[in-house]
Each structure stands twice: as structure tokens, then as C-alpha cells.
């Protein structure tokens, strides 16, 4: 198991670092080389993702605007998905600090949730050079206000509120541990999919098997199992057999989305979580508690060491 901090984000870094176009493609520069069909690689992928409504990559890019309270009338939002992962706070001067994803801001503007008098400020905030390809894919200019004012609500100041600071972490863990992490619903996520990849999977090897706890405890574990050495050898043989069989299925032309059914839960998966500091601290607190499974506690400790 491991964890890697991808972004430690205030708003200015998020705006400058928007080349997140697929699970394995998080970098500061877009790949503008040309494919065989004459289209530029990353822009073409961004366009495809937007067109096919694969919105998860666009959730990871988040930024804050400071705008008048009446610009977004929260009382008249009847569809709660408009506020998905959004956070906001009323400021002393009566304005509102509002943070959501790139996709969230585009949707608010596109669907007329932004009051007409304030559309220019939101449009100008979105119309950033680093968002050019996403804005093209989502046809931002279609929602360009007329007349266009010079208002711009984008907030690029130093942030000290942990609700408005996000971190993205790439995590590798076996499926049972990953699923415990996924039960925390405060994060946007992308997970590698074995529907689309057929490389050889890796397995999480248990080096120390623990015994079932005594008494009526239904979860947790006791000390080292007396048959640990034999169990370690048995798991290696089992994993080798399942991976060999999986590889044989791929060679025989079985679809990866079905061949993956033969892989054990010990298979390691990889996923990216983006969430606020508050969300990360809650996850870490819950998963390092004395009642947490040892493996998930170890992963939470790794994540904790990454964050400021």
C-alpha cells in the first residue's frame, strides 16, 4: 500500500494545474502532440470526456469565487446536485465565498443558476488561459453574457480556512481496504478500471496473518496466527495461479471487463481522492482509531504524513 500527494492546492495552483484529463494523466503541461487522426492528444481527450459526460476529471479542479450573496440564490436551488461538494461562507462585508469544482461552476452558469446581473463575473473567472481546452470542450462562449462587464470573482488569495483548501492523493491499496476508504463520501474520486486495462495485476501479500479475536467480537483480530508461515506460502501460490489464469484469459481474447471477475480481492487497485483538509482530517481520525482495521490504519497514517 502507498499514497502519493499529487496536489497541495490553493486556488492559484489549481488554476495553473488543470491538465488532469484522465486517471493516469495528471501533470502541469498538456500533451499537444498530434494523433494519427490529426487531433491533439490531450485536447481531444478532454473534448471526448466532456462530450460523453465523463465528468469526474472535471471535479478535481476546484476554485473559489468571492461574489455578492444574491449572485447565487441558494434558497431557489431545488436540485441538490448543484451544490455537490460545494462549500460556502458568508463574509463580514455581506459577500459570499463559494468554492466548487470546475464542472460545478460551468453547470451553475450554463443552467442559469447564476443571477443574470452577475454572470459576467463568473464567466470572466472561468475564462482563464489554463482552462482553455476545458472551456472549449464545454462551449463556455455559448454562455458569454451580453454586455460583458469587467467583473471577475476569482479568488487567488492565501487561504487559511481548511474547508477551502483541497488536496489530491493517489492511493494504492487492496480492494477490501480501498472500499473502506471509499465509504467516506466527502471526496471526488477516480479509480483505475480493469475494464480498460489488461496489464498484469499486483497482489497485496499478507506477511503476518492474524487470528480471529476471542469471544463474541465480530470484527478486528488477535495475535499472529500459529499457521502464519504456511499461510504465507499458500497465498503466494494462490495469487500466482489466479494471475496466470487471468493472463491466459486475456491472451485467449476474453474481454478484460469479464476476465477481472477471476481476480481475488487481494488485487491492488489505484485511485485518486480530492477533498478538503477537513475531509482528510476526518478520514484520518476515523481510520486511525483503535477500532480500525490495522491495514487501513497503516494507510491512513501514510496519508497523514503527506498532508501539511
Amino acid at each position: 500500500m502507498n499514497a502519493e500527494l499529487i496536489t497541495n492546492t490553493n486556488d492559484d495552483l489549481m488554476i495553473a494545474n488543470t491538465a488532469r484529463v484522465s486517471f493516469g494523466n495528471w501533470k502541469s503541461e498538456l500533451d499537444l502532440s498530434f494523433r494519427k487522426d490529426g487531433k491533439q492528444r490531450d485536447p481531444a481527450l478532454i473534448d471526448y470526456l466532456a462530450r460523453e459526460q465523463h465528468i469526474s476529471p472535471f471535479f478535481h479542479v476546484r476554485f473559489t469565487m468571492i461574489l455578492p450573496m444574491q449572485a447565487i440564490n441558494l434558497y431557489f436551488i431545488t436540485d441538490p446536485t448543484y451544490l455537490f461538494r460545494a462549500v460556502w461562507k458568508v463574509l463580514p462585508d455581506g459577500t459570499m465565498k463559494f468554492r466548487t469544482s470546475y464542472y460545478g461552476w460551468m453547470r451553475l452558469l450554463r443552467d442559469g443558476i447564476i443571477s443574470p446581473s452577475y454572470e459576467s463575473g463568473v464567466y470572466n473567472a472561468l475564462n482563464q488561459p489554463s482552462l482553455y481546452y476545458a472551456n472549449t470542450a464545454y462551449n463556455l462562449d455559448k454562455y458569454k453574457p451580453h454586455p460583458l462587464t469587467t467583473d471577475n470573482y476569482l479568488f487567488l488569495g492565501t487561504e487559511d480556512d481548511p474547508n477551502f483548501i483541497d488536496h489530491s492523493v493517489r492511493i494504492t491499496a487492496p480492494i477490501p481496504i480501498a472500499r473502506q476508504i471509499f465509504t467516506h463520501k466527502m471526496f471526488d474520486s477516480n479509480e483505475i478500471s480493469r475494464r480498460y486495462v489488461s496489464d498484469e495485476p499486483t497482489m497485496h501479500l499478507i506477511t503476518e496473518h492474524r487470528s480471529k479475536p476471542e469471544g463474541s467480537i465480530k470484527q478486528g483480530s488477535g495475535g499472529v496466527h500459529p499457521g502464519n508461515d504456511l499461510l504465507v506460502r499458500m497465498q503466494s501460490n494462490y495469487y500466482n495461479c489466479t494471475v496466470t489464469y487471468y493472463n491466459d484469459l486475456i491472451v485467449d481474447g476474453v474481454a478484460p471487463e469479464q476476465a477481472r471477475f477471476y481476480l481475488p480481492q487481494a488485487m491492488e487497485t489505484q485511485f485518486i481522492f480530492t477533498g478538503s483538509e477537513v475531509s482528510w482530517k476526518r478520514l484520518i481520525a476515523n481510520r486511525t482509531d483503535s477500532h480500525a482495521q490495522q491495514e487501513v490504519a497503516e494507510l491512513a497514517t501514510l496519508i497523514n504524513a503527506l498532508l501539511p
Side-chain angles (χ1 to χ4, degrees):
M1 293 185 293
N2 62 66
E4 168 198 2
L5 184 65
I6 302 178
T7 54
N8 179 8
T9 58
N10 276 324
D11 297 293
D12 53 345
L13 180 59
M14 286 300 280
I15 292 298
N17 235 345
T18 56
R20 303 186 181 109
V21 295
S22 66
F23 178 83
N25 190 357
W26 279 49
K27 54 195 178 185
S28 59
E29 299 292 335
L30 288 168
D31 183 351
L32 302 181
S33 63
F34 289 93
R35 308 186 311 190
K36 291 182 180 180
D37 61 3
K39 297 181 179 179
Q40 292 176 304
R41 293 186 181 279
D42 281 351
L45 180 53
I46 291 172
D47 183 68
Y48 168 80
L49 292 168
R51 185 174 65 252
E52 297 297 320
Q53 299 183 29
H54 290 252
I55 59 178
S56 54
F58 304 102
F59 279 146
H60 291 287
V61 180
R62 300 176 179 178
F63 44 92
T64 303
M65 298 189 199
I66 295 180
L67 65 175
M69 283 288 295
Q70 58 269 33
I72 306 174
N73 195 329
L74 301 176
Y75 293 105
F76 288 95
I77 294 179
T78 57
D79 183 350
T81 63
Y82 282 109
L83 304 178
F84 187 68
R85 304 282 191 262
V87 291
W88 60 89
K89 181 170 69 175
V90 179
L91 301 178
D93 63 359
T95 60
M96 174 174 58
K97 183 190 291 186
F98 195 98
R99 183 174 182 83
T100 190
S101 65
Y102 167 81
Y103 174 76
W105 282 115
M106 272 299 309
R107 191 175 176 216
L108 290 170
L109 182 65
R110 179 193 68 192
D111 294 354
I113 305 299
I114 305 296
S115 299
S117 300
Y118 306 100
E119 289 177 342
S120 286
V122 174
Y123 171 87
N124 291 331
L126 291 170
N127 193 25
Q128 303 296 316
S130 58
L131 294 172
Y132 171 79
Y133 293 102
N135 286 338
T136 300
Y138 273 94
N139 199 7
L140 174 65
D141 278 348
K142 181 178 179 181
Y143 313 105
K144 183 176 182 179
H146 299 285
L148 184 64
T149 70
T150 58
D151 295 335
N152 188 333
Y153 301 136
L154 186 63
F155 173 71
L156 294 177
T158 301
E159 185 58 78
D160 58 4
D161 186 332
N163 288 291
F164 289 81
I165 300 174
D166 294 299
H167 306 290
S168 297
V169 178
R170 188 194 306 270
I171 299 170
T172 302
I175 289 175
I177 303 304
R179 293 301 167 259
Q180 290 187 55
I181 299 295
F182 268 84
T183 60
H184 295 264
K185 304 298 185 183
M186 306 88 72
F187 298 90
D188 290 314
S189 63
N190 277 41
E191 183 178 9
I192 194 167
S193 174
R194 297 209 70 85
R195 288 189 65 197
Y196 307 112
V197 298
S198 54
D199 57 334
E200 186 167 303
T202 58
M203 301 294 162
H204 178 76
L205 295 176
I206 301 174
T207 58
E208 187 176 273
H209 292 78
R210 299 186 296 275
S211 298
K212 181 180 178 181
E214 296 181 0
S216 61
I217 299 176
K218 296 182 179 180
Q219 63 179 9
S221 53
V224 179
H225 192 279
N228 180 64
D229 292 343
L230 175 60
L231 292 171
V232 169
R233 293 194 299 270
M234 288 176 60
Q235 84 172 324
S236 295
N237 292 334
Y238 171 64
Y239 294 161
N240 288 337
C241 289
T242 58
V243 171
T244 298
Y245 190 53
Y246 172 82
N247 290 336
D248 289 343
L249 291 171
I250 296 299
V251 170
D252 287 343
V254 174
E257 64 182 23
Q258 288 187 313
R260 61 181 173 160
F261 285 17
Y262 293 83
L263 294 169
Q265 287 203 64
M267 182 189 73
E268 290 191 322
T269 186
Q270 194 174 92
F271 52 97
I272 296 169
F273 267 15
T274 296
S276 68
E277 281 193 4
V278 170
S279 298
W280 282 112
K281 288 177 180 177
R282 180 177 179 183
L283 182 152
I284 292 165
N286 288 347
R287 296 303 174 177
T288 55
D289 182 84
S290 59
H291 297 92
Q293 183 174 340
Q294 179 177 317
E295 287 82 1
V296 79
E298 292 172 357
L299 178 57
T301 301
L302 288 174
I303 296 170
N304 188 44
L306 294 174
L307 303 180

